Amino acid sequence: MNVDELLKIIKDRRNTKSFTNDKVAKSDIELILESGIWAPNHRNTEPWRFVVVDKSSPIKQDIAQRMISLQEKSSNSTLSDDQKKNIFLKIKNSPCFIFVFTTIDESPEITEENYGAVCCAIQNMQLTATTLGLGIGWSTGKISKIDNLNKLFEVDQTFKIVGVLSVGYSNSIIEKTRQEFTTITKWI
């Protein structure tokens, strides 16, 4: 691969929110996870932890119910049956979720370094997915704020959620632009 091919993959990466119903192959998810663990991490802490929820996982029901509870709690109102149904369908129809956690250290400095490393892991995962023709949506919204998420997944209670990745075949191609690096860079 040359530099132009790499830059194209970086530029083609999107934060995907809409997917087809096609199931993602387990081997593709494994490759995405493999690329994540090769992210740089200071002190070689390897702070990333993953929970994969595939398309047919029964735990999706619990996730949807907890999202409904969170929505009702944050809005201080009861959702309509249609709103609840939409949440259930959105979770049910998502091809695959990867819940990404970071480890917490006694040292705030190491905890911050770990968080940064996990963000790098997510970028590796997004680039790998793009190369495979898959899309990834990285959410730090409601699905990552579900109460007792660590308990639901039976993971260490000290792990901190960094985001939830929705992985699948994108329904659409969104064109993006960026400002030129020359407009935001100062050379000294």
Side-chain angles (χ1 to χ4, degrees):
M1 172 183 301
N2 65 39
V3 173
D4 290 333
E5 292 169 327
L6 177 59
L7 192 56
K8 180 176 179 356
I9 291 167
I10 292 169
K11 289 179 177 181
D12 286 348
R13 182 214 47 81
R14 295 288 177 270
N15 196 41
T16 307
K17 300 292 183 187
S18 180
F19 302 97
T20 68
N21 286 325
D22 297 331
K23 185 176 168 96
V24 179
K26 183 178 180 184
S27 59
D28 287 344
I29 297 298
E30 290 171 339
L31 190 58
I32 289 167
L33 293 167
E34 175 77 13
S35 70
I37 67 167
W38 284 99
N41 60 109
H42 192 239
R43 306 174 209 251
N44 203 30
T45 57
E46 299 186 43
W48 32 76
R49 300 296 184 268
F50 309 106
V51 174
V52 178
V53 178
D54 73 12
K55 187 166 182 68
S56 60
S57 176
I59 206 163
K60 282 186 164 187
Q61 290 284 0
D62 290 330
I63 293 168
Q65 189 56 57
R66 288 169 188 242
M67 282 195 58
I68 290 167
S69 297
L70 177 66
Q71 183 92 7
E72 290 180 335
K73 184 178 176 183
S74 65
S75 68
N76 203 23
S77 64
T78 303
L79 297 179
S80 70
D81 288 341
D82 283 345
Q83 290 171 313
K84 291 177 183 178
K85 182 180 177 182
N86 286 340
I87 290 172
F88 269 108
L89 287 174
K90 183 177 180 182
I91 299 299
K92 178 183 176 234
N93 293 332
S94 292
C96 179
F97 292 118
I98 303 174
F99 289 76
V100 184
F101 296 86
T102 184
T103 57
I104 303 297
D105 194 88
E106 291 176 12
S107 161
E109 179 182 359
I110 294 174
T111 295
E112 185 175 1
E113 290 169 354
N114 287 350
Y115 183 86
V118 174
C119 291
C120 290
I122 290 172
Q123 174 71 352
N124 280 7
M125 296 165 78
Q126 288 179 313
L127 294 174
T128 301
T130 299
T131 303
L132 294 170
L134 293 165
I136 288 187
W138 178 2
S139 175
T140 56
K142 291 179 183 144
I143 193 167
S144 68
K145 294 175 175 40
I146 293 171
D147 288 336
N148 299 312
L149 196 55
N150 295 39
K151 190 173 182 179
L152 175 66
F153 295 141
E154 299 177 0
V155 298
D156 190 312
Q157 295 301 302
T158 64
F159 293 169
K160 179 183 175 186
I161 189 77
V162 177
V164 182
L165 307 180
S166 300
V167 185
Y169 293 95
S170 180
N171 260 345
S172 61
I173 307 240
I174 299 170
E175 294 299 320
K176 291 280 186 172
T177 60
R178 292 284 194 269
Q179 57 185 318
E180 292 294 324
F181 74 87
T182 55
T183 64
I184 57 169
T185 303
K186 179 178 180 181
W187 295 80
I188 300 179

